[in-house]
Amino acid sequence: MNGFEEVHNFLTSWYGIVLAAIVAYNVFDYVRVKAVMKKLNCVGPTVELDGFFGFRVIFTLLKHKREGTLVDFRKDMELDTLRFRVAGTPMVITRNPENIKAILATQFNDFVLGGRHDHLGPLLGDGIFTLDGSGWKHSRAMLRPQFAREQVAHVKSLEPHIQLLAKHIRKFQGEPFDIQKLFFRLTMDSATEFLFGESVDSLHDETIGFSKSAIDFDGKNEFAEAFNTSQIYLSIRALAQQVYFLINNKEFRDANAKVHKFADYYVQKALSFSTEELDKYSQDGYIFLYELAKQTRDPKVLRDQLLNILLAGRDTTAGLLSFTFFELARNPDIWLKLKEEIYNRFGLGDDSNLEDITFESLKKCEYLKALLNEALRMYPSVPQNFRVAQKDTTLPTGGGPNRDLPVFIRKGQTVAYMVYALQRDQRYYGKDSEVFRPERWFEPETRKLGWAFLPFNGGPRICLGQQFALTEASYVIARLAQLFPNLASFDDEYPPRKASHLTMCHQNGVVISMT
Ligand code: HEM
């Protein structure tokens, strides 16, 4: 066979055709991308050398996850914006505030949530947190008014949960305990009460004299645990990206079924009431489900939206409280200043006037506000997040030799934005950006931060529960300062190891003592 015949045979074989198609596709794509980049007046993202197709990155990420340093990975990267591959899949990451503003606000319509609906769908269905486009718009329009009304009212309903939390703390009699575990139970109880009209009472247990048999219906006791289990699987599905469907075992499906059973029970109860009855029951206290049931009678819509909000609001608030107490316990001077403010405004001890602690009066506690800002800066509950380009587009800056030209983002490209890294960047927070210092929030520099402080996101998808969360966290902190003036840390590791699932918390808990 001569050379010509060999080439002819290769080109007409199946593998020859496949290879030629791949080459042709890549040439066509290259030419197309060059033309689009010229039209959009931008350059390609700076590409980081990432070894063989970026397979090394997977091992690096897993190592960081195991060690509780996943969010610290990339924090100190030299460039603001770059592209690297994770097991062959290109990913652009940025911590530049201008780029983040473009993704979330000025070029909002160029980006979508990507695979979130597939990853979280088995538990959350179609709701504000999982939907894009018109489905999201509709959800947001429906849910927004509920938050405006709720903001003012909800501190009173927190007090019974605080009393239970205090019982748990007292039972340790000054010995060290993990307060993070208790905060996760507290926020589950308060969130279920606010959303469904009845708490799952996960803080009720034998150790403080409650019997487990005191339940209303089958499934209530299992709910909190099932929700936690399901959330772990959801975070693994989100990590698994395109192969998310492989994570779908019986434990996950059973946990979802238990959560749905619980939610369905309350949805059916709400649907059995007329509008007048719903109004009457709401008079005693705000119930999210009952307000929503006045707008829609569709049980699936009600269930999905409630679970979306529970997922968005519960762990985030528990994480904020846990990190705040972690730092308070390590910093006696900050704890002292906080107590001074709380005692001056609301008094001290069991007999302080609870009526004085309201949404409005908490907002006037400037040191408490600075403390929460600082906790959200150093430990944002959502430390990194993703969007996917739904068309060829650009990010405003980070490309070219001086890293100041617009960067090309192709359709389908995942862009990760690193809030944790951004909020510890010395360019915005100064040389002591790694120091927990609430006082910085009284300095003029922090007024100019703009998009460099983003714990609640920005743009049209900004957190709906921001005021709700800050009010709840403020109330819990103020009440604990009144009830337990003495606080000590038993965590000897700093910086703390952080577990990063869908949200961030302490990998090893927050061990403190309180009396
Ligand atoms: C410290 C507490 C909280 C933090 C740090 C926080 C942070 C965030 C962030 C970063 C997002 C954007 C997620 C994204 O678009 O990918 C978000 C969305 C959302 N949050 Fe929060 N959140 C907190 C508490 C709450 C609470 C208590 C609620 C409700 C009771 C809530 C309800 C929501 C909802 C409904 C969304 C979706 C908004 C939309 O997509 O239009 N959040 N939150």
Side-chain angles (χ1 to χ4, degrees), residues 104 113 116 128-131 136 140 143 147 191 194-195 288 308-321 376 379-382 385-387 417 419 454-458 460-466 468-470 472-473:
L104 299 179
L113 298 178
R116 192 187 288 178
I128 185 163
F129 203 66
T130 54
L131 292 176
W136 165 74
R140 184 128 184 146
L143 298 179
F147 283 95
F194 155 67
L195 289 169
F288 200 97
N308 273 247
I309 294 167
L310 184 60
L311 185 109
R314 182 265 182 135
D315 287 10
T316 43
T317 311
L320 169 61
L321 282 166
L376 287 164
Y379 308 104
S381 310
V382 185
N385 209 331
F386 306 85
R387 293 292 192 259
Y417 56 98
V419 174
L454 271 191
F456 293 101
N457 240 25
R461 285 198 95 129
I462 193 168
C463 172
L464 264 185
Q466 177 171 347
F468 181 99
L470 292 174
E472 174 159 347

Side-chain angles (χ1 to χ4, degrees), residues 26 42 122 150 188 293 318 343 360 376 388 390 393 447 482 510:
N26 278 298
C42 62
E150 159 44 33
M188 173 59 88
Y343 299 166
E360 288 81 11
L376 287 164
V388 174
Q390 60 171 342
T393 183
R447 290 202 196 103
Q482 286 182 322
V510 175

Side-chain angles (χ1 to χ4, degrees), residues 326-344:
F326 170 75
E327 288 289 353
L328 281 173
R330 296 178 56 84
N331 292 287
D333 51 328
I334 301 178
W335 177 233
L336 205 66
K337 279 190 198 167
L338 174 76
K339 282 192 299 185
E340 234 173 72
E341 180 172 70
I342 300 298
Y343 299 166
N344 281 340

Side-chain angles (χ1 to χ4, degrees), residues 213-499:
S213 58
I215 52 166
D216 276 331
F217 71 94
D218 180 28
K220 182 173 164 182
N221 275 342
E222 293 175 316
F223 175 80
E225 211 184 309
F227 194 77
N228 292 341
T229 306
S230 183
Q231 256 182 294
I232 293 171
Y233 279 102
L234 294 185
S235 73
I236 303 172
R237 282 166 70 94
L239 262 188
Q241 291 287 312
Q242 277 92 336
V243 288
Y244 68 90
F245 53 86
L246 297 176
I247 320 296
N248 191 24
N249 68 11
K250 186 165 174 331
E251 190 184 33
F252 176 52
R253 294 195 307 272
D254 285 351
N256 294 338
K258 282 176 190 164
V259 172
H260 290 164
K261 180 175 167 185
F262 170 86
D264 288 342
Y265 171 86
Y266 286 104
V267 167
Q268 286 312 326
K269 191 170 156 187
L271 290 177
S272 70
F273 299 140
S274 65
T275 311
E276 292 71 37
E277 284 170 320
L278 289 173
D279 273 337
K280 191 171 131 240
Y281 293 126
S282 300
Q283 270 162 17
D284 299 335
Y286 183 86
I287 299 170
F288 200 97
L289 171 61
Y290 290 6
E291 293 303 314
L292 217 55
K294 291 179 198 163
Q295 293 192 48
T296 172
R297 309 293 288 177
D298 182 333
K300 180 152 180 338
V301 171
L302 289 169
R303 179 178 89 187
D304 289 355
Q305 297 293 9
L306 259 69
L307 292 178
N308 273 247
I309 294 167
L310 184 60
L311 185 109
R314 182 265 182 135
D315 287 10
T316 43
T317 311
L320 169 61
L321 282 166
S322 304
F323 282 112
T324 304
F325 271 84
F326 170 75
E327 288 289 353
L328 281 173
R330 296 178 56 84
N331 292 287
D333 51 328
I334 301 178
W335 177 233
L336 205 66
K337 279 190 198 167
L338 174 76
K339 282 192 299 185
E340 234 173 72
E341 180 172 70
I342 300 298
Y343 299 166
N344 281 340
R345 283 198 174 267
F346 308 123
L348 168 63
D350 276 322
D351 51 5
S352 56
N353 191 1
L354 287 187
E355 297 295 312
D356 293 344
I357 313 183
T358 61
F359 173 73
E360 288 81 11
S361 65
L362 285 168
K363 271 190 122 167
K364 289 187 190 134
C365 294
E366 295 299 332
Y367 197 74
L368 177 55
K369 270 188 347 201
L371 171 74
L372 287 173
N373 268 355
E374 188 66 346
L376 287 164
R377 177 185 78 80
M378 283 195 70
Y379 308 104
S381 310
V382 185
Q384 52 215 12
N385 209 331
F386 306 85
R387 293 292 192 259
V388 174
Q390 60 171 342
K391 60 188 254 216
D392 287 339
T393 183
T394 59
L395 293 179
T397 186
N402 298 327
R403 316 290 178 223
D404 55 357
L405 298 176
V407 174
F408 176 64
I409 301 293
R410 65 156 66 223
K411 182 178 174 182
Q413 171 75 66
T414 298
V415 183
Y417 56 98
M418 322 293 273
V419 174
Y420 179 89
L422 168 72
Q423 294 185 166
R424 285 174 180 241
D425 194 319
Q426 292 195 5
R427 285 172 295 180
Y428 313 111
Y429 291 94
K431 287 212 158 29
D432 67 351
S433 64
E434 299 278 349
V435 178
F436 190 87
R437 196 171 62 82
E439 287 69 23
R440 76 176 73 245
W441 294 94
F442 300 113
E443 293 163 3
E445 289 76 36
T446 49
R447 290 202 196 103
K448 300 179 221 139
L449 282 170
W451 285 77
F453 182 60
L454 271 191
F456 293 101
N457 240 25
R461 285 198 95 129
I462 193 168
C463 172
L464 264 185
Q466 177 171 347
Q467 289 310 321
F468 181 99
L470 292 174
T471 309
E472 174 159 347
S474 302
Y475 188 84
V476 173
I477 294 168
R479 290 294 289 131
L480 289 183
Q482 286 182 322
L483 295 170
F484 302 98
N486 302 305
L487 172 68
S489 168
F490 286 81
D491 284 304
D492 41 22
E493 200 172 17
Y494 200 87
R497 292 176 190 275
K498 288 146 304 244

